[in-house]
mmCIF file of all heavy atoms in Angstrom:
data_model
loop_
_atom_site.group_PDB
_atom_site.id
_atom_site.type_symbol
_atom_site.label_atom_id
_atom_site.label_comp_id
_atom_site.label_asym_id
_atom_site.label_seq_id
_atom_site.Cartn_x
_atom_site.Cartn_y
_atom_site.Cartn_z
ATOM 1 N N LYS A 25 34.703 45.066 54.782
ATOM 2 C CA LYS A 25 35.933 45.839 54.665
ATOM 3 C C LYS A 25 36.808 45.261 53.559
ATOM 4 O O LYS A 25 36.928 44.040 53.419
ATOM 5 C CB LYS A 25 36.708 45.835 55.987
ATOM 6 C CG LYS A 25 35.947 46.460 57.154
ATOM 7 C CD LYS A 25 36.757 46.384 58.439
ATOM 8 C CE LYS A 25 35.973 46.958 59.612
ATOM 9 N NZ LYS A 25 36.727 46.871 60.886
ATOM 10 N N LYS A 26 37.402 46.187 52.786
ATOM 11 C CA LYS A 26 38.309 45.733 51.734
ATOM 12 C C LYS A 26 39.288 46.855 51.394
ATOM 13 O O LYS A 26 39.056 48.035 51.667
ATOM 14 C CB LYS A 26 37.544 45.324 50.478
ATOM 15 C CG LYS A 26 36.755 46.433 49.825
ATOM 16 C CD LYS A 26 36.016 45.928 48.582
ATOM 17 C CE LYS A 26 35.202 47.052 47.935
ATOM 18 N NZ LYS A 26 34.487 46.573 46.725
ATOM 19 N N VAL A 27 40.385 46.448 50.769
ATOM 20 C CA VAL A 27 41.425 47.379 50.341
ATOM 21 C C VAL A 27 41.600 47.240 48.838
ATOM 22 O O VAL A 27 41.638 46.108 48.320
ATOM 23 C CB VAL A 27 42.771 47.108 51.054
ATOM 24 C CG1 VAL A 27 43.877 47.969 50.464
ATOM 25 C CG2 VAL A 27 42.638 47.369 52.550
ATOM 26 N N GLU A 28 41.682 48.368 48.127
ATOM 27 C CA GLU A 28 41.901 48.355 46.680
ATOM 28 C C GLU A 28 43.211 49.057 46.359
ATOM 29 O O GLU A 28 43.458 50.184 46.800
ATOM 30 C CB GLU A 28 40.756 49.071 45.946
ATOM 31 C CG GLU A 28 39.429 48.329 46.001
ATOM 32 C CD GLU A 28 38.334 49.069 45.262
ATOM 33 O OE1 GLU A 28 38.496 50.301 45.031
ATOM 34 O OE2 GLU A 28 37.321 48.445 44.925
ATOM 35 N N LEU A 29 44.055 48.370 45.590
ATOM 36 C CA LEU A 29 45.304 48.949 45.086
ATOM 37 C C LEU A 29 45.096 49.275 43.609
ATOM 38 O O LEU A 29 44.641 48.420 42.831
ATOM 39 C CB LEU A 29 46.463 47.975 45.252
ATOM 40 C CG LEU A 29 46.734 47.488 46.689
ATOM 41 C CD1 LEU A 29 47.811 46.413 46.683
ATOM 42 C CD2 LEU A 29 47.169 48.662 47.553
ATOM 43 N N LEU A 30 45.407 50.516 43.195
ATOM 44 C CA LEU A 30 45.131 50.967 41.833
ATOM 45 C C LEU A 30 46.390 51.475 41.167
ATOM 46 O O LEU A 30 47.241 52.122 41.797
ATOM 47 C CB LEU A 30 44.091 52.096 41.841
ATOM 48 C CG LEU A 30 42.760 51.850 42.550
ATOM 49 C CD1 LEU A 30 41.970 53.132 42.627
ATOM 50 C CD2 LEU A 30 41.970 50.799 41.790
ATOM 51 N N MET A 31 46.503 51.193 39.878
ATOM 52 C CA MET A 31 47.526 51.827 39.038
ATOM 53 C C MET A 31 46.834 52.301 37.765
ATOM 54 O O MET A 31 46.271 51.494 37.026
ATOM 55 C CB MET A 31 48.661 50.874 38.682
ATOM 56 C CG MET A 31 49.763 51.569 37.874
ATOM 57 S SD MET A 31 51.055 50.472 37.257
ATOM 58 C CE MET A 31 50.179 49.658 35.918
ATOM 59 N N ASP A 32 46.843 53.608 37.503
ATOM 60 C CA ASP A 32 46.247 54.193 36.311
ATOM 61 C C ASP A 32 47.346 54.743 35.418
ATOM 62 O O ASP A 32 48.273 55.425 35.900
ATOM 63 C CB ASP A 32 45.288 55.321 36.680
ATOM 64 C CG ASP A 32 44.056 54.809 37.391
ATOM 65 O OD1 ASP A 32 43.428 53.879 36.866
ATOM 66 O OD2 ASP A 32 43.725 55.341 38.474
ATOM 67 N N ALA A 33 47.237 54.461 34.128
ATOM 68 C CA ALA A 33 48.188 54.994 33.146
ATOM 69 C C ALA A 33 47.382 55.746 32.087
ATOM 70 O O ALA A 33 46.638 55.134 31.318
ATOM 71 C CB ALA A 33 49.002 53.870 32.512
ATOM 72 N N PHE A 34 47.515 57.058 32.081
ATOM 73 C CA PHE A 34 46.845 57.886 31.090
ATOM 74 C C PHE A 34 47.785 58.096 29.903
ATOM 75 O O PHE A 34 48.955 58.411 30.071
ATOM 76 C CB PHE A 34 46.442 59.233 31.698
ATOM 77 C CG PHE A 34 45.575 59.091 32.917
ATOM 78 C CD1 PHE A 34 46.112 59.200 34.189
ATOM 79 C CD2 PHE A 34 44.218 58.829 32.798
ATOM 80 C CE1 PHE A 34 45.319 59.068 35.310
ATOM 81 C CE2 PHE A 34 43.407 58.689 33.920
ATOM 82 C CZ PHE A 34 43.964 58.808 35.182
ATOM 83 N N ASN A 35 47.226 57.927 28.686
ATOM 84 C CA ASN A 35 48.059 57.890 27.485
ATOM 85 C C ASN A 35 49.175 56.870 27.697
ATOM 86 O O ASN A 35 50.364 57.179 27.599
ATOM 87 C CB ASN A 35 48.639 59.267 27.155
ATOM 88 C CG ASN A 35 49.287 59.327 25.776
ATOM 89 O OD1 ASN A 35 49.179 58.403 24.967
ATOM 90 N ND2 ASN A 35 49.989 60.418 25.505
ATOM 91 N N ALA A 36 48.750 55.666 27.991
ATOM 92 C CA ALA A 36 49.669 54.620 28.432
ATOM 93 C C ALA A 36 50.789 54.341 27.438
ATOM 94 O O ALA A 36 51.916 53.998 27.829
ATOM 95 C CB ALA A 36 48.893 53.331 28.706
ATOM 96 N N LEU A 37 50.507 54.465 26.140
ATOM 97 C CA LEU A 37 51.532 54.194 25.132
ATOM 98 C C LEU A 37 52.374 55.422 24.826
ATOM 99 O O LEU A 37 53.247 55.372 23.952
ATOM 100 C CB LEU A 37 50.866 53.688 23.850
ATOM 101 C CG LEU A 37 50.014 52.419 23.993
ATOM 102 C CD1 LEU A 37 49.472 51.990 22.644
ATOM 103 C CD2 LEU A 37 50.818 51.292 24.634
ATOM 104 N N ASN A 38 52.096 56.526 25.524
ATOM 105 C CA ASN A 38 52.828 57.777 25.325
ATOM 106 C C ASN A 38 52.815 58.192 23.845
ATOM 107 O O ASN A 38 53.822 58.612 23.285
ATOM 108 C CB ASN A 38 54.273 57.645 25.819
ATOM 109 C CG ASN A 38 54.875 58.999 26.183
ATOM 110 O OD1 ASN A 38 54.152 59.918 26.573
ATOM 111 N ND2 ASN A 38 56.174 59.123 26.051
ATOM 112 N N HIS A 39 51.633 58.078 23.256
ATOM 113 C CA HIS A 39 51.490 58.366 21.831
ATOM 114 C C HIS A 39 51.257 59.862 21.623
ATOM 115 O O HIS A 39 50.313 60.432 22.171
ATOM 116 C CB HIS A 39 50.315 57.565 21.253
ATOM 117 C CG HIS A 39 50.187 57.661 19.768
ATOM 118 N ND1 HIS A 39 49.543 58.707 19.148
ATOM 119 C CD2 HIS A 39 50.627 56.841 18.773
ATOM 120 C CE1 HIS A 39 49.585 58.519 17.838
ATOM 121 N NE2 HIS A 39 50.233 57.412 17.589
ATOM 122 N N PRO A 40 52.085 60.553 20.818
ATOM 123 C CA PRO A 40 51.878 61.989 20.596
ATOM 124 C C PRO A 40 50.723 62.234 19.636
ATOM 125 O O PRO A 40 50.609 61.598 18.593
ATOM 126 C CB PRO A 40 53.209 62.443 19.979
ATOM 127 C CG PRO A 40 53.732 61.226 19.287
ATOM 128 C CD PRO A 40 53.285 60.044 20.111
ATOM 129 N N THR A 41 49.851 63.144 20.001
ATOM 130 C CA THR A 41 48.730 63.547 19.150
ATOM 131 C C THR A 41 48.757 65.061 19.039
ATOM 132 O O THR A 41 48.687 65.751 20.043
ATOM 133 C CB THR A 41 47.386 63.086 19.737
ATOM 134 O OG1 THR A 41 47.385 61.653 19.810
ATOM 135 C CG2 THR A 41 46.232 63.532 18.870
ATOM 136 N N PHE A 42 48.857 65.567 17.809
ATOM 137 C CA PHE A 42 49.129 66.988 17.602
ATOM 138 C C PHE A 42 47.879 67.755 17.169
ATOM 139 O O PHE A 42 47.033 67.245 16.444
ATOM 140 C CB PHE A 42 50.212 67.158 16.536
ATOM 141 C CG PHE A 42 51.528 66.512 16.900
ATOM 142 C CD1 PHE A 42 51.876 65.267 16.396
ATOM 143 C CD2 PHE A 42 52.406 67.141 17.765
ATOM 144 C CE1 PHE A 42 53.073 64.671 16.731
ATOM 145 C CE2 PHE A 42 53.610 66.550 18.112
ATOM 146 C CZ PHE A 42 53.939 65.315 17.590
ATOM 147 N N TRP A 43 47.825 69.011 17.623
ATOM 148 C CA TRP A 43 46.830 69.951 17.122
ATOM 149 C C TRP A 43 47.265 70.420 15.740
ATOM 150 O O TRP A 43 48.446 70.406 15.396
ATOM 151 C CB TRP A 43 46.731 71.176 18.029
ATOM 152 C CG TRP A 43 45.961 70.990 19.285
ATOM 153 C CD1 TRP A 43 46.483 70.854 20.549
ATOM 154 C CD2 TRP A 43 44.542 70.941 19.441
ATOM 155 N NE1 TRP A 43 45.475 70.716 21.467
ATOM 156 C CE2 TRP A 43 44.265 70.770 20.823
ATOM 157 C CE3 TRP A 43 43.470 71.021 18.558
ATOM 158 C CZ2 TRP A 43 42.984 70.682 21.330
ATOM 159 C CZ3 TRP A 43 42.189 70.941 19.056
ATOM 160 C CH2 TRP A 43 41.954 70.772 20.420
ATOM 161 N N SER A 44 46.292 70.889 14.939
ATOM 162 C CA SER A 44 46.646 71.537 13.679
ATOM 163 C C SER A 44 47.456 72.790 13.985
ATOM 164 O O SER A 44 47.205 73.493 14.962
ATOM 165 C CB SER A 44 45.390 71.915 12.892
ATOM 166 O OG SER A 44 44.616 70.773 12.592
ATOM 167 N N GLY A 45 48.427 73.075 13.145
ATOM 168 C CA GLY A 45 49.324 74.196 13.398
ATOM 169 C C GLY A 45 48.764 75.533 12.948
ATOM 170 O O GLY A 45 47.559 75.683 12.693
ATOM 171 N N ASP A 46 49.631 76.518 12.837
ATOM 172 C CA ASP A 46 49.261 77.869 12.426
ATOM 173 C C ASP A 46 48.698 77.832 11.006
ATOM 174 O O ASP A 46 49.332 77.336 10.084
ATOM 175 C CB ASP A 46 50.500 78.764 12.488
ATOM 176 C CG ASP A 46 50.157 80.240 12.379
ATOM 177 O OD1 ASP A 46 49.121 80.561 11.784
ATOM 178 O OD2 ASP A 46 50.940 81.062 12.887
ATOM 179 N N GLN A 47 47.493 78.391 10.830
ATOM 180 C CA GLN A 47 46.776 78.268 9.568
ATOM 181 C C GLN A 47 46.788 79.534 8.727
ATOM 182 O O GLN A 47 46.197 79.571 7.651
ATOM 183 C CB GLN A 47 45.324 77.869 9.862
ATOM 184 C CG GLN A 47 45.209 76.596 10.667
ATOM 185 C CD GLN A 47 43.852 76.442 11.336
ATOM 186 O OE1 GLN A 47 42.845 76.952 10.863
ATOM 187 N NE2 GLN A 47 43.818 75.722 12.456
ATOM 188 N N ASN A 48 47.446 80.589 9.189
ATOM 189 C CA ASN A 48 47.445 81.873 8.482
ATOM 190 C C ASN A 48 48.700 81.991 7.629
ATOM 191 O O ASN A 48 49.823 81.924 8.146
ATOM 192 C CB ASN A 48 47.370 83.026 9.476
ATOM 193 C CG ASN A 48 47.082 84.355 8.801
ATOM 194 O OD1 ASN A 48 47.735 84.744 7.844
ATOM 195 N ND2 ASN A 48 46.085 85.057 9.299
ATOM 196 N N ILE A 49 48.510 82.180 6.325
ATOM 197 C CA ILE A 49 49.651 82.202 5.400
ATOM 198 C C ILE A 49 50.545 83.414 5.603
ATOM 199 O O ILE A 49 51.682 83.435 5.095
ATOM 200 C CB ILE A 49 49.175 82.147 3.938
ATOM 201 C CG1 ILE A 49 48.310 83.371 3.601
ATOM 202 C CG2 ILE A 49 48.414 80.859 3.665
ATOM 203 C CD1 ILE A 49 47.907 83.444 2.137
ATOM 204 N N ASN A 50 50.085 84.423 6.344
ATOM 205 C CA ASN A 50 50.871 85.645 6.523
ATOM 206 C C ASN A 50 51.683 85.665 7.810
ATOM 207 O O ASN A 50 52.374 86.644 8.082
ATOM 208 C CB ASN A 50 49.952 86.871 6.486
ATOM 209 C CG ASN A 50 49.336 87.087 5.115
ATOM 210 O OD1 ASN A 50 50.030 87.404 4.159
ATOM 211 N ND2 ASN A 50 48.030 86.892 5.009
ATOM 212 N N THR A 51 51.607 84.609 8.614
ATOM 213 C CA THR A 51 52.383 84.554 9.850
ATOM 214 C C THR A 51 53.683 83.802 9.614
ATOM 215 O O THR A 51 53.790 82.969 8.712
ATOM 216 C CB THR A 51 51.596 83.867 10.974
ATOM 217 O OG1 THR A 51 51.262 82.532 10.564
ATOM 218 C CG2 THR A 51 50.316 84.619 11.273
ATOM 219 N N THR A 52 54.663 84.088 10.440
ATOM 220 C CA THR A 52 55.989 83.482 10.270
ATOM 221 C C THR A 52 56.067 82.061 10.810
ATOM 222 O O THR A 52 57.120 81.424 10.715
ATOM 223 C CB THR A 52 57.053 84.352 10.962
ATOM 224 O OG1 THR A 52 56.700 84.506 12.344
ATOM 225 C CG2 THR A 52 57.125 85.720 10.319
ATOM 226 N N THR A 53 54.970 81.564 11.377
ATOM 227 C CA THR A 53 54.935 80.173 11.860
ATOM 228 C C THR A 53 53.884 79.365 11.095
ATOM 229 O O THR A 53 53.355 78.396 11.613
ATOM 230 C CB THR A 53 54.628 80.132 13.367
ATOM 231 O OG1 THR A 53 53.411 80.852 13.625
ATOM 232 C CG2 THR A 53 55.762 80.743 14.170
ATOM 233 N N PHE A 54 53.587 79.774 9.877
ATOM 234 C CA PHE A 54 52.565 79.104 9.072
ATOM 235 C C PHE A 54 52.891 77.617 8.926
ATOM 236 O O PHE A 54 53.987 77.241 8.532
ATOM 237 C CB PHE A 54 52.483 79.751 7.694
ATOM 238 C CG PHE A 54 51.568 79.043 6.729
ATOM 239 C CD1 PHE A 54 50.228 78.852 7.038
ATOM 240 C CD2 PHE A 54 52.043 78.567 5.520
ATOM 241 C CE1 PHE A 54 49.366 78.203 6.167
ATOM 242 C CE2 PHE A 54 51.196 77.919 4.625
ATOM 243 C CZ PHE A 54 49.861 77.736 4.953
ATOM 244 N N GLY A 55 51.905 76.773 9.258
ATOM 245 C CA GLY A 55 52.057 75.334 9.105
ATOM 246 C C GLY A 55 52.776 74.638 10.235
ATOM 247 O O GLY A 55 52.830 73.409 10.270
ATOM 248 N N VAL A 56 53.313 75.394 11.186
ATOM 249 C CA VAL A 56 54.084 74.802 12.283
ATOM 250 C C VAL A 56 53.141 74.272 13.351
ATOM 251 O O VAL A 56 52.239 74.976 13.809
ATOM 252 C CB VAL A 56 55.049 75.828 12.890
ATOM 253 C CG1 VAL A 56 55.769 75.243 14.103
ATOM 254 C CG2 VAL A 56 56.061 76.289 11.843
ATOM 255 N N VAL A 57 53.328 73.015 13.763
ATOM 256 C CA VAL A 57 52.541 72.410 14.833
ATOM 257 C C VAL A 57 53.291 72.630 16.146
ATOM 258 O O VAL A 57 54.435 72.198 16.287
ATOM 259 C CB VAL A 57 52.326 70.908 14.580
ATOM 260 C CG1 VAL A 57 51.572 70.277 15.738
ATOM 261 C CG2 VAL A 57 51.572 70.694 13.266
ATOM 262 N N SER A 58 52.644 73.288 17.097
ATOM 263 C CA SER A 58 53.350 73.664 18.322
ATOM 264 C C SER A 58 52.688 73.163 19.596
ATOM 265 O O SER A 58 53.136 73.500 20.692
ATOM 266 C CB SER A 58 53.476 75.194 18.395
ATOM 267 O OG SER A 58 52.191 75.809 18.360
ATOM 268 N N SER A 59 51.608 72.374 19.488
ATOM 269 C CA SER A 59 50.957 71.886 20.703
ATOM 270 C C SER A 59 50.361 70.514 20.465
ATOM 271 O O SER A 59 50.129 70.109 19.314
ATOM 272 C CB SER A 59 49.867 72.865 21.169
ATOM 273 O OG SER A 59 48.896 73.057 20.162
ATOM 274 N N MET A 60 50.102 69.792 21.561
ATOM 275 C CA MET A 60 49.563 68.441 21.472
ATOM 276 C C MET A 60 48.171 68.381 22.082
ATOM 277 O O MET A 60 47.822 69.179 22.955
ATOM 278 C CB MET A 60 50.488 67.449 22.174
ATOM 279 C CG MET A 60 51.821 67.234 21.475
ATOM 280 S SD MET A 60 52.702 65.761 22.070
ATOM 281 C CE MET A 60 52.939 66.173 23.785
#
């Protein structure tokens, strides 16, 4: 018998990583990064 205590930290450094933004030159959000 044993007991395990766990602490998990996902993205522990809270580092932002962005997706490439809007790639169409004819849209009004061209080049804008809107998601991670």
Side-chain angles (χ1 to χ4, degrees):
K25 299 178 182 179
K26 62 180 179 180
V27 173
E28 291 180 341
L29 303 174
L30 306 172
M31 183 186 74
D32 292 309
F34 304 100
N35 191 9
L37 302 183
N38 204 29
H39 187 277
T41 298
F42 299 99
W43 282 105
S44 300
D46 193 334
Q47 303 161 28
N48 192 309
I49 62 175
N50 293 293
T51 59
T52 57
T53 55
F54 174 58
V56 175
V57 177
S58 58
S59 58
M60 291 195 299

